[in-house]
Every structure is written in structure tokens, then in C-alpha cells.
Amino acid sequence: MSVTLPAGATYRLGDYSNNRWSAPITLTSATTFNQVYWPAGVFPFSDPDPGVTKELDVLMQVPANAPAPLQASEDPLSGPNITLTTSPVWITLTNENKSVSVALPTGATYRFGDYGNNRWSTPITLPNATTFNPVYWPAGVFPFTDPDSTVTKELDVLMQVAQ
């Protein structure tokens, strides 16, 4: 899989199992990492945890006027009101953006649309690996009509959640 990040994005590569990470890097220009795995030679640093599968994390900026996180005295993932599921869930990969491309592997199921008006393309399972470059409606990279022409959309992928 390849990932393109826009200028200004901050990323790191590493793993939570040993909590070893590269130093965060803020990009000065849009950059494509093709392939996103350690031996590919696409990262400008040494392997932060040799022999361990790593993940690429992108720092999300939270607006200054965002509400503060809730403080809880109990584990938020326990108790009678929490239900874990093994049902598939939609995960947002990116908002529609002229500067972002996403590569999905064969067999990935995706949709394009928005929660605001709850308008979505029909989910499509890819018969081949596919790159959406850019993830932007007018670019002509999607094989369906615009599900909601009045708003910015997002690209979601269907994920299986294991319990």
C-alpha cells in the first residue's frame, strides 16, 4: 500500500508493542510513501524497532475551540453499557482532498460519501489493487456518480473487528 501525505502533515513510524517510534517528522511538501513497510527505503530514519511490524501514524490537529476530553474514574471500555462487536465497521481513511492519494489492496471494500446528509456510494469490493489519486470527486477516479454534490465527502474502508 502507498500513502500520500500533504505538506504540513506530521508523521511517525513505529509500534505500540515495544513503544518504539521514529522521531516525528513534519513534511515541507506533499510526500508519497510507496510502499509503507520498513525495508522499502522510503523513510529518512533508521528502523525504530527492527524485526517488528510497524504502523504509520499521522498527527491529527485538534482545533483550539474543541471540547476537552471527558475525565472518567473508571475504565471507559468496561461496564454494562459497552458492547464489543465482530460486525464489520466503516473506518474513515481520509476526507476528500486534492493533495491526498490512497492505495487500497485487492479485496478491500470502500465507499465514498458523507455522514452529514447520510449519502453514500454503493460499497465496492476491489477486484484489483487500486489507487485513488487524488481522493477528490471531480478527479474522475471513482466509478459512480457523486453521492452528494453539495458537500465535501470522505473515503471509508470496511474493516472487520475481532473480539
Side-chain angles (χ1 to χ4, degrees):
M1 174 168 43
S2 66
V3 173
T4 300
L5 298 177
T10 300
Y11 74 93
R12 68 179 186 176
L13 185 78
D15 65 276
Y16 283 101
S17 60
N18 295 320
N19 201 27
R20 293 188 182 156
W21 300 91
S22 66
I25 295 177
T26 300
L27 298 171
T28 57
S29 62
T31 302
T32 298
F33 299 104
N34 186 18
Q35 299 286 320
V36 180
Y37 72 98
W38 179 253
V42 298
F43 298 105
F45 43 76
S46 61
D47 189 340
D49 199 3
V52 175
T53 301
K54 286 160 271 301
E55 65 183 57
L56 177 66
D57 290 353
V58 179
L59 181 63
M60 183 175 91
Q61 298 295 328
V62 178
N65 61 349
L70 296 176
Q71 301 297 318
S73 59
E74 297 179 21
D75 179 355
L77 295 179
S78 66
N81 296 326
I82 301 298
T83 303
L84 297 177
T85 180
T86 56
S87 300
V89 294
W90 289 104
I91 304 295
T92 301
L93 294 179
T94 185
N95 287 327
E96 184 176 21
N97 188 319
K98 294 178 190 177
S99 302
V100 173
S101 69
V102 171
L104 295 176
T106 300
T109 300
Y110 74 93
R111 69 179 184 180
F112 192 67
D114 68 280
Y115 283 103
N117 296 322
N118 200 27
R119 293 183 181 163
W120 300 94
S121 66
T122 300
I124 295 176
T125 300
L126 295 171
N128 301 302
T130 301
T131 299
F132 300 106
N133 185 13
V135 179
Y136 182 64
W137 176 255
V141 298
F142 298 105
F144 42 76
T145 59
D146 189 340
D148 194 355
S149 61
T150 63
V151 299
T152 300
K153 290 157 282 297
E154 65 184 50
L155 178 64
D156 292 355
V157 67
L158 192 62
M159 300 293 289
Q160 290 289 341
V161 178
Q163 238 177 345

